[in-house]
Amino acid sequence: MSRPPREFDRRRLMAWMARAGLAAGGLPLAGIAGAWPRNVDPNPKLADYPFTLGVASGDPAVDGFVIWTRIAPRPNEPHGGMAPAPVLVQWEVSEAENFAVLAAQGTALASPELAHSVHVEVGGLRPDRPYFYRFRIAGHVSATGRSRSLPLPHARLDRLRFAVAGCQHYEHGFYTAWRHIAAEPVDFIFHYGDYIYETNEKGDDTITLQGNSYPRARRHNAPEPISLDDYRRRYALGKQDADLQAAHAAAPFWVSFDDHEVDNDWADAVDQDGTPPEVFLYRRAAAFQAYYEHMPLRRQSMPDGPRMAMHRAARYGDLLNGFVLDTRQHRSDQIPGPYYAPITPEVADPRRTMLGAEQEAWLFNALNRSDTRWNLIAQQVMLMHLSLADKATGTQGYNLDRWSGYLHSRRRLLDHIDRACPGNVVTVSGDAHLHYAGDLVQDQGSGKIIASEFLATSISSGADGQGDDTMHSRHALAHNQALKAVCDRRGYVLCDVGREVWHADLKVIDRVTRPDGALSTWRRLAVERGHPGVVPA
Ligand code: FE
Ligand code: CA
């Protein structure tokens, strides 16, 4: 087979694509920058159906969104069963589920350097509309995904619905919660991280978590990941899950990573084992690349070695400005200590940072300028400053991996929210593997309620859990006036934002160690605009 034209030349490209049997009709050539690489395989021999990891969309804009897939006919094998050559993938976007009329289409490069992943930044679409998308290669057609463009920045928007979810340890449980999220009428899904876990649980038929034993749901297929191929294999395993694929196909995601995408409790260039930072950064670079390869992220988030731009903003008409933060990559190292530790002067050292100077300035400036009804701060770790009881010993203390370990950063953030956006900020987070909902107050001072937090439990991490009447939950509620609800079950938070009231349903699954757990709403809570604080709905 001849090589594709090296230089960009419409006529030669069309002729080459025709020879190669590629559908060139309607190819938006204006969108192609330069030429395909010389080694593109025009007739890839795929060992099997290649869309085994599903489709996804994310980072919506007024005129489009990112659509993602990965060509992986044998997803558990190195390179997904692909030869080490780039291939071309066709994509289509339509307002109709049957794709009768196409709103956009094109050809995208899937490179072996990026695990044959495809990230298309679709533009030119109409605002505030649902769209359908799919991919084709070598006679195969992907599943159809559904996405949505953003409303115009100043368009009146009366209602916005989204799910908050994350923490999906593959071995702890089935992804039943994702199947239920896929059926929710949401505009987007915020993923707060722990998309994979690098850790493997010990034990054969049962696993023991914080003193409780649960039936093992599933098993990772490889040791702890270190290299790029290791991390790819872990994403490929999890992304074969039909429930997770259904959620990605149902709505655009705003994704963010937390610690387990790299290593438990990593902070900036420091891992949990004391690896030399310049060495750990190689692992971080491998982990970031695999994360990018498997997420519907824009080119601006493509990693540059161990660095990756992950904080970003989204505006939903005149209703809501959303800010997705990165609380791992730019933070100071954790203060060493027990899981729940006492507060020492060091914890409030102003030199310690959770966001880093640049991200903090970006957020504060954006909040200064914000003129929407609500502001959403979507991040990874608990912002409430809660005295919690160790589940094993009962000792009260603060988790210093969360904002409690970065108290000066927390004080600055809450002060700024109170000045810039009084009464209209709601924060969402995760990581704790329990539902927590409550008020955000300064750790010292008047106790004025500044904002509200809904911390979503986990999709599966923590297995079935212990319910809402535990020593931990009783102590948490008794010691923390700001805390309004806590529950140790798996699930997600469903937010329904109106112009005056923000509703949040705390959804729980009765068990995840067997498939088909039952969904229920454990609590229905609300925040009234102008009156921060979580109240019963
Ligand atoms: Fe987690
Ligand atoms: Ca975490």
Side-chain angles (χ1 to χ4, degrees):
M1 196 68 209
S2 65
R3 284 176 169 168
R6 174 67 181 149
E7 304 302 323
F8 174 68
D9 178 314
R10 179 191 167 93
R11 191 175 45 78
R12 287 180 60 214
L13 180 67
M14 299 292 267
W16 174 80
M17 289 186 75
R19 283 199 305 279
L22 297 171
L27 189 71
L29 290 169
I32 298 173
W36 306 123
R38 279 191 292 271
N39 61 337
V40 161
D41 182 351
N43 275 313
K45 304 281 181 292
L46 304 182
D48 218 326
Y49 178 73
F51 299 106
T52 54
L53 306 182
V55 299
S57 75
D59 282 28
V62 165
D63 68 340
F65 34 76
V66 178
I67 56 174
W68 171 94
T69 192
R70 185 184 156 197
I71 307 302
R74 294 200 171 141
N76 300 318
E77 292 182 8
H79 309 293
M82 292 291 286
V87 296
L88 298 178
V89 181
Q90 276 71 55
W91 56 271
E92 300 170 340
V93 174
S94 177
E95 292 189 21
E97 195 164 7
N98 65 3
F99 292 86
V101 179
L102 298 185
Q105 62 182 314
T107 301
L109 185 69
S111 300
E113 288 85 349
L114 293 172
H116 295 98
S117 60
V118 177
H119 301 75
V120 179
E121 298 191 25
V122 181
L125 305 182
R126 297 199 285 168
D128 199 18
R129 307 225 162 230
Y131 283 96
F132 298 90
Y133 62 92
R134 65 186 178 189
F135 301 89
R136 297 173 183 276
I137 184 171
H140 299 284
V141 185
S142 75
T144 293
R146 188 179 186 278
S147 194
R148 190 174 181 94
S149 54
L150 298 184
L152 288 167
H154 296 284
R156 181 186 169 99
L157 189 66
D158 291 320
R159 189 178 193 189
L160 181 69
R161 285 175 285 190
F162 64 95
V164 182
C167 286
Q168 50 195 52
H169 200 306
Y170 185 81
E171 300 187 318
H172 288 193
F174 293 92
Y175 291 169
T176 315
W178 279 128
R179 192 193 320 163
H180 289 292
I181 290 172
E184 301 279 10
V186 291
D187 297 287
F188 69 90
I189 294 161
F190 169 59
H191 196 297
Y192 48 75
D194 291 359
Y195 197 100
I196 58 160
Y197 280 72
E198 87 288 9
T199 49
N200 290 347
E201 292 298 342
K202 296 180 187 68
D204 290 326
D205 297 333
T206 60
I207 55 176
T208 301
L209 306 170
Q210 290 163 332
N212 299 300
S213 290
Y214 302 94
R216 172 189 282 275
R218 307 186 279 196
R219 189 177 285 281
H220 283 141
N221 58 358
E224 179 167 338
I226 298 289
S227 73
L228 174 57
D229 273 340
D230 297 342
Y231 282 106
R232 284 173 173 165
R233 186 169 179 182
R234 193 137 293 196
Y235 283 98
L237 179 68
K239 288 184 79 74
Q240 290 171 67
D241 184 279
D243 295 335
L244 178 58
Q245 289 188 13
H248 275 295
F253 274 53
W254 288 98
V255 298
S256 64
F257 55 68
D258 191 27
D259 54 334
H260 289 289
E261 283 86 351
V262 183
D263 183 44
N264 179 49
D265 282 358
W266 69 278
D268 190 4
V270 182
D271 74 359
Q272 64 172 347
D273 300 313
T275 303
E278 69 275 20
V279 174
F280 169 64
L281 286 177
Y282 281 95
R283 184 182 188 185
R284 196 177 103 178
F288 279 10
Q289 182 177 337
Y291 182 77
Y292 172 77
E293 288 170 352
H294 292 87
M295 294 297 140
L297 284 166
R298 289 185 183 270
R299 179 70 177 248
Q300 68 185 33
S301 293
M302 181 185 279
D304 175 12
R307 284 167 295 279
M308 192 169 178
M310 286 300 288
H311 58 276
R312 52 219 199 276
R315 182 180 175 113
Y316 285 83
D318 71 344
L319 186 63
L320 180 142
N321 271 318
F323 305 99
V324 177
L325 305 187
D326 171 356
T327 58
R328 279 290 156 197
Q329 194 178 181
H330 310 290
R331 65 156 78 186
S332 310
D333 192 16
Q334 294 93 344
I335 292 166
Y339 194 75
Y340 293 117
I343 294 299
T344 60
E346 193 189 358
V347 172
D349 186 330
R351 289 168 300 183
R352 294 177 54 67
T353 179
M354 185 58 121
L355 300 177
E358 187 203 324
Q359 182 180 199
E360 185 177 288
W362 165 84
L363 175 65
F364 286 9
N365 287 331
L367 290 172
N368 283 339
R369 289 193 309 269
S370 181
D371 59 355
T372 45
R373 302 282 297 173
W374 297 95
N375 290 280
L376 165 67
I377 296 178
Q379 49 101 34
Q380 291 75 37
V381 290
M382 182 185 283
L383 188 48
M384 280 181 280
H385 181 56
L386 299 183
S387 172
L388 297 170
D390 187 284
K391 285 165 192 161
T393 64
T395 314
Q396 291 286 137
Y398 294 84
N399 186 313
L400 302 186
D401 182 55
R402 304 173 183 166
W403 286 82
S404 286
Y406 302 80
L407 268 185
H408 206 272
S409 281
R410 186 180 184 276
R411 288 173 193 166
R412 286 197 302 272
L413 176 58
L414 293 186
D415 266 347
H416 192 82
I417 288 172
D418 200 25
R419 264 200 311 276
C421 301
N424 65 32
V425 172
V426 173
T427 72
V428 296
S429 61
D431 169 66
H433 305 173
L434 281 75
H435 278 307
Y436 290 94
D439 307 336
L440 293 169
V441 298
Q442 289 288 19
D443 63 296
Q444 49 189 19
S446 67
K448 174 188 178 185
I449 300 172
I450 294 169
S452 316
E453 178 174 36
F454 296 105
L455 188 158
T457 181
S458 56
I459 291 289
S460 59
S461 304
D464 293 336
Q466 301 295 310
D468 57 6
D469 185 23
T470 65
M471 182 273 281
H472 179 83
S473 62
R474 285 191 298 273
H475 280 229
L477 291 165
H479 281 84
N480 303 282
Q481 217 187 333
L483 181 65
K484 303 302 178 193
V486 52
C487 181
D488 180 11
R489 285 280 183 240
R490 307 294 68 81
Y492 55 96
V493 170
L494 191 66
C495 290
D496 188 345
V497 185
R499 295 184 77 81
E500 298 300 333
V501 182
W502 181 308
H503 285 106
D505 287 356
L506 276 46
K507 299 282 192 177
V508 295
I509 307 281
D510 64 347
R511 63 178 188 181
V512 296
T513 56
R514 299 273 185 280
D516 304 320
L519 177 75
S520 62
T521 301
W522 174 70
R523 280 293 157 79
R524 177 160 286 182
L525 301 170
V527 178
E528 281 178 56
R529 186 172 179 275
H531 302 277
V534 171
V535 295

